Amino acid sequence: QGLKPLVPTKAPDPIFGTSKPAPGLPSTDPFLGTNKVPDLQKIFQRSDGLPVHLKRGYPDRMLYRTTMALTIGGTIYCLVALYIASQPKNQ
């Protein structure tokens, strides 16, 4: 009898072997918009002395300030909680 080869001798037919677009769909992808990368590169590479996380103006400033306020507030809260937890208990 002998051993049978594990690899098929004939390649299977491709399942997705067509390059035609599906019927009823537009030929271009509607989700692809204009390329915004060159515009963003101009903004972020401008030498105006601002750090990169503040380059886009007001929304970036508000996010930065909110993050800093939450960080400082959380630090103060933790320090107060540690101080209160370290006080001896009155019985």
Side-chain angles (χ1 to χ4, degrees):
Q1 293 267 22
L3 298 174
K4 295 181 181 178
L6 295 176
V7 179
T9 56
K10 180 184 174 240
D13 294 329
I15 297 173
F16 302 106
T18 179
S19 62
K20 296 178 186 175
L25 292 178
S27 60
T28 60
D29 191 359
F31 298 109
L32 295 176
T34 59
N35 188 6
K36 297 178 184 176
V37 172
D39 298 330
L40 291 174
Q41 283 177 339
K42 288 177 188 174
I43 292 172
F44 288 119
Q45 292 177 353
R46 187 172 38 202
S47 62
D48 52 5
L50 288 174
V52 71
H53 58 275
L54 297 175
K55 288 272 188 178
R56 291 196 298 170
Y58 185 75
D60 285 348
R61 283 196 306 264
M62 288 307 297
L63 283 171
Y64 178 74
R65 290 175 182 167
T66 302
T67 302
M68 292 310 292
L70 289 171
T71 302
I72 292 170
T75 302
I76 292 171
Y77 176 79
C78 287
L79 292 174
V80 169
L82 285 172
Y83 175 75
I84 292 172
S86 68
Q87 297 301 311
K89 304 268 189 231
N90 291 337
Q91 293 182 9

